[in-house]
Amino acid sequence: MKDINILMIGVGGQGTVLSSDIVCDVALAGDADVKKSEIHGMAQRGGSVVSHVRIGAKVLSPVIPVGEADIVISFENMEFLRYPEYAGKNTSLVVNKYRIYPPSVAGGQETYPAEQTEETKKAFKEVFEIDAMKTATAIGNSKVAGMVMLGKLAALLPFDADLWRTVISKKVPPKTVDMNLAAFNAGYQF
């Protein structure tokens, strides 16, 4: 199996940690080795959350080397700007169009970096932009937006979609399985 490095970035409460846990469980169930590392920056207060997930035949370190992310998945529209050093010329970007304004922007001290965000997207090999919040809301609950994002990521990885669905069914609360699977399936179709 080719090594795959995935940098998963979001804001506290978007499901970044759960999503990275699911990626790891799918990789293990798919007979791959996987290592993961997380950093939570005041996640409970809307701070940045980042997970490094490395998949391969034998993974020795949980931290992605600088410039070697194969996929960056940004659960918020600008979060990928915080970790540009991990992207290289062959990195794909999966980004949620949804914006969460940091306190400095909401308070008027700074402006949302919309132009910088659009300009930086040009550096990626390919960009998949998803309005995960709109899709999740249409499904019936905005809280499953992270699962929409995970669905798109799953479509880019070499594991069977049914394996993903099995793992998701075990990882989310039982009463939310149907809604999470609907969100996953919607993201998988993007």
Side-chain angles (χ1 to χ4, degrees):
M1 164 177 262
K2 175 188 174 295
D3 293 349
I4 304 169
N5 296 319
I6 308 163
L7 189 68
M8 304 178 76
I9 309 161
V11 175
Q14 287 194 287
T16 309
V17 173
L18 173 63
S19 295
S20 63
D21 287 346
I22 290 170
V23 173
C24 291
D25 286 359
V26 168
L28 289 171
D31 294 326
D33 190 20
V34 62
K35 298 280 188 297
K36 175 183 156 185
S37 176
E38 298 173 356
I39 298 171
H40 305 223
M42 299 291 284
Q44 295 298 318
R45 295 185 178 202
S48 185
V49 177
V50 60
S51 295
H52 292 234
V53 179
R54 303 189 72 202
I55 301 169
K58 181 68 178 167
V59 179
L60 301 177
S61 168
V63 179
I64 299 170
V66 168
E68 294 189 23
D70 296 295
I71 301 171
V72 171
I73 178 166
S74 184
F75 286 69
E76 192 275 340
N77 190 55
M78 73 158 200
E79 282 300 305
F80 69 93
L81 293 178
R82 298 184 193 274
Y83 305 95
E85 66 273 21
Y86 292 102
K89 64 182 180 183
N90 293 316
T91 304
S92 298
L93 174 65
V94 179
V95 60
N96 187 357
K97 291 181 177 180
Y98 186 70
R99 294 180 179 180
I100 298 174
Y101 295 102
S104 60
V105 172
Q109 293 89 17
E110 297 181 41
T111 58
Y112 191 88
E115 288 183 29
Q116 183 183 2
T117 301
E118 293 306 311
E119 188 62 30
T120 303
K121 287 176 185 172
K122 296 175 184 174
F124 288 87
K125 179 180 81 174
E126 57 189 347
V127 177
F128 302 97
E129 295 184 84
I130 298 170
D131 194 337
M133 181 61 77
K134 182 178 178 182
T135 302
T137 301
I139 289 169
N141 191 332
S142 62
K143 292 181 180 177
V144 295
M147 201 58 69
V148 175
M149 297 298 292
L150 186 65
K152 180 57 189 174
L153 175 64
L156 300 174
L157 297 177
F159 302 106
D160 186 79
D162 286 337
L163 182 58
W164 287 90
R165 292 181 186 104
T166 299
V167 171
I168 290 166
S169 297
K170 292 177 182 173
K171 294 293 281 190
V172 301
K175 67 181 181 182
T176 68
V177 168
D178 290 344
M179 188 166 292
N180 275 287
L181 290 178
F184 173 83
N185 291 336
Y188 198 84
Q189 300 301 317
F190 276 104

